[in-house]
Amino acid sequence: MIVAIDGPAGAGKSTVARALAERLGFRYLDTGAMYRALTWLAMQRGLDLGDEAALAELADAEPVVFDEDDRVWIAGTDVTSSIRETRIDRMVPVVARHPAVREVMRARQRQLGREGDVVIEGRDIGTVVAPDAAVKVYLVADREERARRRIAERPGIGADALATDLRLRDESDAARTRPAPDAIEIDTTHLRVEDVVERIEALVRERTAV
Ligand code: DC
């Protein structure tokens, strides 16, 4: 079974998807980490981030690997921490917008999604990667709340810079971030993580009962 969790940056996807996977005993797949790892490697190798063909080739040649501890690897390097740096936050939408890159990533995501029960987190999971997912959830939250959450994750960056980054990312990710028509939308602004997880868990249990 696939549970798709989509939504914009800071809506709570990672925290919720991770906790949900743990509760259900499902695997967890963070597709944003795949675009982040590719961006890290492309920058490391000095590639032109506008070169769609070169980036797609790199994505194909150097698949992102998640180990059993959910650490993220690319080209033999553990990039779990480096992909959360602000420089990656800023450049990843530039890489993620190339259709050829997305094709490679989506094929790999579908392959990983076929290996049993999994919670997949991203932007286009319910719409494109797994349109037949058993449960689709679209998380949203007020921009102020999303900025607050990001500040907690990125203590090194000032509030103003962070708000600007978030706005720019929202704009560049907007074309790829939309709910599937059959997704359940949950506004997490005033909810605790446990409440969101419980709500989605109930949807999954309903599905498995059918
Ligand atoms: O969720 P995140 O911040 O880790 O995502 C990183 C970037 O990757 C973000 O700019 C959106 C993009 N992304 C995407 O285009 N499609 C996905 N399925 C997941 C992430």
Side-chain angles (χ1 to χ4, degrees):
M1 171 191 277
I2 294 181
V3 179
I5 313 267
D6 290 302
K13 297 188 301 292
S14 299
T15 318
V16 165
R18 243 179 237 285
L20 179 71
E22 185 142 328
R23 282 274 280 270
L24 295 167
F26 284 21
R27 283 177 307 117
Y28 162 65
L29 176 60
D30 177 0
T31 62
M34 296 171 71
Y35 289 100
R36 287 172 177 274
L38 178 64
T39 304
W40 179 89
L41 186 61
M43 289 170 79
Q44 181 81 0
R45 297 200 175 164
L47 254 83
D48 171 2
L49 300 188
D51 189 341
E52 177 168 4
L55 289 168
E57 206 172 293
L58 186 66
D60 194 43
E62 301 286 3
V64 180
V65 174
F66 296 92
D67 69 17
E68 63 276 14
D69 299 318
D70 271 341
R71 299 197 69 82
V72 188
W73 294 77
I74 192 164
T77 308
D78 179 346
V79 294
T80 314
S81 318
S82 346
I83 59 170
R84 304 295 161 192
E85 288 168 11
T86 307
R87 66 188 185 102
I88 303 292
D89 288 342
R90 289 185 180 147
M91 298 319 289
V92 64
V94 178
V95 171
R97 76 162 161 247
H98 296 304
V101 169
R102 303 193 70 78
E103 274 317 304
V104 176
M105 291 302 199
R106 284 166 170 166
R108 177 106 181 105
Q109 290 157 13
R110 288 187 186 114
Q111 190 187 330
L112 293 168
R114 274 196 290 270
E115 297 165 6
D117 294 328
V118 62
V119 177
I120 311 184
E121 166 205 336
R123 298 291 196 290
D124 55 348
I125 309 307
T127 48
V128 185
V129 174
D132 51 357
V135 174
K136 298 182 190 179
V137 174
Y138 193 79
L139 298 183
V140 295
D142 286 358
R143 191 173 270 167
E144 297 74 50
E145 177 58 23
R146 295 197 286 122
R148 261 197 295 280
R149 291 174 187 169
R150 276 285 136 121
I151 289 172
E153 287 170 6
R154 308 274 193 280
I157 172 170
D160 287 348
L162 196 133
T164 308
D165 277 8
L166 194 62
R167 186 175 51 76
L168 292 173
R169 275 189 68 198
D170 277 357
E171 283 167 12
S172 35
D173 288 335
R176 292 168 294 279
T177 309
R178 65 197 158 81
D182 51 347
I184 312 278
E185 186 169 305
I186 302 178
D187 185 338
T188 69
T189 309
H190 304 293
L191 293 177
R192 294 177 315 154
V193 173
E194 305 87 89
D195 299 330
V196 182
V197 172
E198 253 168 46
R199 228 185 259 193
I200 305 173
E201 195 184 354
L203 294 170
V204 174
R205 303 263 178 234
E206 251 170 55
R207 275 307 162 114
T208 25
V210 168

